[in-house]
Amino acid sequence: MQQQSYDLIVVGTGTAGAILASRIAENGVNPRTGEPLKIASIEAGPYWKGERRPGYGIPLRRRMITNLDFGGDRYQWPTTGYAKIVGGSSVHFGNASYFPFDTDYLRWQNETGVDWTKDNFKEAVAEITQMYNYHQAPDSTLGEGNRLFRNAARQMGYAPSRSPMTRTNCIYCGYCSPGHMCKYDSKGSSLAYIPIAERYGVEIIANTEVERVLIEKRGDRGTVTGVTYHRGDQTGELRSSKVLVCCGVFLTPGLLMRSGYGSKELLGDKLLVENPNVGNHYNADQVFRVGGFSDEPLLEAGRGTNSGDYFFDYGDPDGDFNLMITSAVTNGIVFPQLAALSEYAPEFGRGHKEFMRTSCTRMSGVMMLQTCPKNSRGRVRPDGSVSDYTSDPRMIQRFQEGEAICIKLLERMGLKRITTGGDIGERVRTFRGAGHSMGSCRAGVDPKDSVVNPRFESHDVDGLLVCDGSVIPRSGSSWACIPIATVAAFAWRRIVQDHFTV
Ligand SMILES: Cc1cc2nc3c(=O)[nH]c(=O)nc-3n(C[C@H](O)[C@H](O)[C@H](O)COP(=O)(O)OP(=O)(O)OC[C@H]3O[C@@H](n4cnc5c(N)ncnc54)[C@H](O)[C@@H]3O)c2cc1C
């Protein structure tokens, strides 16, 4: 490590962290000297250095991963399923995500009073559009399944829209479904920011896990002085009066609680600074799939597809109980080892062999997602698990309605053997968290019900900043990756203005 003291330590070089570290380095200066900033960006997972060329990939990354190899707990946190790698979960998100819809901005403002309006986010949206190459896929990339979905939805009176995608020079190999990484770097991700971080001297410290943020207690408040970390057997300490935590919706509250910042109830005598909202107000949309089987192949063999179309069956005017139904999985490639064990496969013999010839392009379905309503909340515990999750009972009714819509759609598309995956009520009731989670260290104007203010500063600990999925007050209809990247692009502007300007 080149130096032990920094102007800023960013913990977690993931979706939000990579954006923040690079842009703060590029646009900020030391406020006392006007000199370029010394920033350390720490990441628990690996960093494969090299020139990023979308469609070709970084040679070292191409050697280290395959499209399918998500690496188990080498590149993934076993407790949460989120990515542990420079670029974070943006490198394996399912490549379907939307800029916040109008109702999402309103939900954030109504929930905790943040001034995160559509107008204030204009520059951030423009930045992420460019950096993630967010655009509508051309119709020529649609598969047969997508076209059947579109026609069936129109016949049922809906107006489907094209899903956006964030890819560059994509060859449509199809192996970019959730949980997979693109070894050719075609998938839009926060890796696009890493060359900026390198150019502006950010020290990316990989394979290094921060154990604690060092907080000095001063009366009821705290002050940040640095972090402790371990890398393999080695442990150490880095000093800074500003620490920006970007570890994601589960691990950010976990790290803060390990550092003594949280609720008295959970931390007992380990408590340094109290804020019961650390880990609280966790919320997420819920996603279910309704499957079906096609007599005919739905896409060209060996060719992947994009995320198809989506439409809304609207709930309340504030966005609660919105159902989004999408063809994101309608003609995705199904991997042979999964097809062979699926409910559609004959168990053995000639029938099984015949089935395997074409089944990978015939197993289909649609996804339905429901926005998280006001009354669904849980708590992230110090180990990153979610407890006490309560789901609004009306979610079940809406999902039942959604299931009926999906079944009708699939029937109109000509699919057979439609499967819903079991009792939806039971699945909603036992839900414990998912990929589009938010709110566990939420931003708000009132310290009584939030952790950071709308400018991403802790209400209680001087020098502590937080920005990732955990600060977004409520999950919306727009999934997670693009909203989180957009909030990060909004946050760096505020952080530079408030902390790193002469
Ligand atoms: C399998 C999967 C599929 C998904 N698919 C979609 C999708 O299709 N569309 C969509 O919109 N969203 C999707 N999401 C959600 C979306 O990808 C995430 O919500 C988003 O990327 C999270 O961003 P973040 O910055 O909050 O956290 P992350 O991107 O996870 O970044 C956190 C980083 O911090 C690092 N870190 C954590 N703790 C420490 C520590 N103590 N020390 C050092 N480093 C640490 C982690 O290793 C990680 O790199 C998916 C998520 C998953 C898990």
Side-chain angles (χ1 to χ4, degrees):
M1 231 156 272
Q2 289 160 13
Q3 46 198 339
Q4 301 298 311
S5 171
Y6 297 87
D7 295 317
L8 172 68
I9 294 172
V10 180
V11 186
T13 314
T15 310
I19 296 172
L20 285 148
S22 57
R23 288 301 199 204
I24 294 172
E26 182 187 20
N27 294 283
V29 289
N30 181 311
R32 275 175 289 107
T33 63
E35 294 284 310
L37 290 169
K38 290 180 190 158
I39 299 181
S41 193
I42 307 180
E43 170 53 47
Y47 170 39
W48 298 305
K49 221 176 154 90
E51 190 196 347
R52 190 175 162 273
R53 290 161 60 191
Y56 175 80
I58 296 169
L60 187 57
R61 257 168 64 81
R62 279 178 55 171
R63 279 212 297 280
M64 297 305 289
I65 58 169
T66 69
N67 286 325
L68 294 182
D69 173 15
F70 192 53
D73 54 9
R74 267 185 302 160
Y75 315 134
Q76 200 172 13
W77 293 89
T79 42
T80 66
Y82 274 53
K84 184 180 181 181
I85 190 169
V86 166
S89 302
S90 71
V91 300
H92 74 69
F93 87 114
N95 204 246
S97 195
Y98 307 78
F99 279 115
F101 294 102
D102 290 359
T103 43
D104 295 334
Y105 291 110
L106 291 175
R107 288 156 68 82
W108 299 344
Q109 292 159 51
N110 292 341
E111 183 81 14
T112 60
V114 289
D115 58 344
W116 297 1
T117 61
K118 188 175 181 181
D119 204 40
N120 286 343
F121 268 61
K122 267 189 190 144
E123 285 179 18
V125 168
E127 176 179 332
I128 297 301
T129 304
Q130 190 221 337
M131 294 300 288
Y132 267 66
N133 198 25
Y134 181 99
H135 61 288
Q136 284 208 341
D139 268 7
S140 55
T141 62
L142 291 179
E144 185 56 18
N146 294 140
R147 278 189 285 273
L148 290 171
F149 173 95
R150 178 185 283 186
N151 292 340
R154 284 185 181 146
Q155 283 165 19
M156 287 169 65
Y158 294 104
S161 308
R162 292 287 295 106
S163 286
M165 68 171 203
T166 65
R167 302 182 202 174
T168 307
N169 300 336
C170 175
I171 57 167
Y172 292 94
C173 69
Y175 294 115
C176 55
S177 50
H180 298 136
M181 303 198 272
C182 178
K183 68 187 276 183
Y184 304 109
D185 285 322
S186 286
K187 199 184 268 197
S189 75
S190 291
L191 285 178
Y193 282 87
I194 296 301
I196 302 173
E198 292 278 7
R199 206 172 323 134
Y200 288 91
V202 175
E203 194 183 334
I204 298 173
I205 304 173
N207 299 310
T208 301
E209 187 172 337
V210 169
E211 279 170 356
R212 283 172 53 222
V213 177
L214 295 169
I215 298 173
E216 251 174 42
K217 194 170 162 58
R218 295 190 185 157
D220 285 347
R221 297 184 61 79
T223 299
V224 151
T225 59
V227 301
T228 62
Y229 66 85
H230 72 261
R231 186 194 298 137
D233 296 340
Q234 194 194 338
T235 57
E237 215 173 281
L238 300 175
R239 291 277 156 184
S240 179
S241 59
K242 295 211 188 315
V243 173
L244 168 54
V245 178
C246 308
C247 296
V249 76
F250 300 106
L251 298 175
T252 284
L255 174 61
L256 296 182
M257 287 188 257
R258 275 205 307 282
S259 310
Y261 183 31
S263 76
K264 201 183 268 173
E265 178 204 340
L266 284 177
L267 298 183
D269 59 5
K270 297 205 172 72
L271 182 80
L272 281 176
V273 180
E274 188 174 7
N275 185 328
N277 300 296
V278 174
N280 218 342
H281 311 289
Y282 167 88
N283 66 94
D285 61 4
Q286 292 194 39
V287 187
F288 295 112
R289 180 189 169 121
V290 180
F293 196 70
S294 167
D295 286 340
E296 300 297 327
L298 292 175
L299 77 164
E300 238 175 85
R303 179 171 173 270
T305 182
N306 59 57
S307 301
D309 294 272
Y310 70 94
F311 63 83
F312 279 109
D313 189 81
Y314 288 104
D316 292 354
D318 65 358
D320 276 10
F321 308 107
N322 272 358
L323 275 171
M324 180 196 263
I325 296 178
T326 102
S327 60
V329 295
T330 302
N331 48 260
I333 288 177
V334 175
F335 303 138
Q337 74 276 20
L338 300 178
L341 297 175
S342 73
E343 65 270 43
Y344 305 114
E347 272 186 22
F348 52 83
R350 187 175 293 277
H352 186 87
K353 207 167 167 186
E354 277 306 312
F355 170 87
M356 288 307 294
R357 281 190 217 288
T358 57
S359 61
C360 294
T361 58
R362 291 163 60 203
M363 285 173 59
S364 185
V366 292
M367 277 202 316
M368 55 173 174
L369 296 91
Q370 191 173 163
T371 314
C372 180
K374 284 177 214 61
N375 300 327
S376 296
R377 291 289 184 274
R379 175 177 266 286
V380 177
R381 305 192 70 85
D383 66 359
S385 63
V386 175
S387 68
D388 310 324
Y389 199 86
T390 50
S391 292
D392 189 311
R394 217 178 119 199
M395 280 190 99
I396 297 174
Q397 181 211 328
R398 286 293 287 147
F399 268 131
Q400 285 163 342
E401 289 163 13
E403 219 168 55
I405 298 169
C406 293
I407 291 171
K408 213 161 150 188
L409 252 173
L410 293 175
E411 284 170 352
R412 274 180 197 249
M413 288 166 61
L415 299 192
K416 313 269 170 58
R417 299 169 69 187
I418 292 169
T419 50
T420 59
D423 176 16
I424 197 110
E426 191 52 22
R427 284 185 287 158
V428 171
R429 277 188 292 271
T430 52
F431 172 81
R432 285 293 171 277
H436 308 154
S437 307
M438 294 179 180
S440 54
C441 287
R442 68 187 188 176
V445 289
D446 187 349
K448 287 198 194 76
D449 71 2
S450 55
V451 176
V452 295
N453 65 23
R455 306 192 72 84
F456 305 90
E457 299 158 325
S458 157
H459 288 303
D460 321 277
V461 180
D462 298 325
L464 177 65
L465 302 150
V466 181
C467 181
D468 54 30
S470 71
V471 299
I472 301 182
R474 271 176 80 183
S475 82
S477 299
S478 44
W479 305 34
C481 191
I482 294 295
I484 292 170
T486 311
V487 167
F490 173 70
W492 73 251
R493 292 171 161 81
R494 289 199 155 176
I495 292 172
V496 166
Q497 194 181 27
D498 296 346
H499 301 273
F500 299 113
T501 306
V502 189

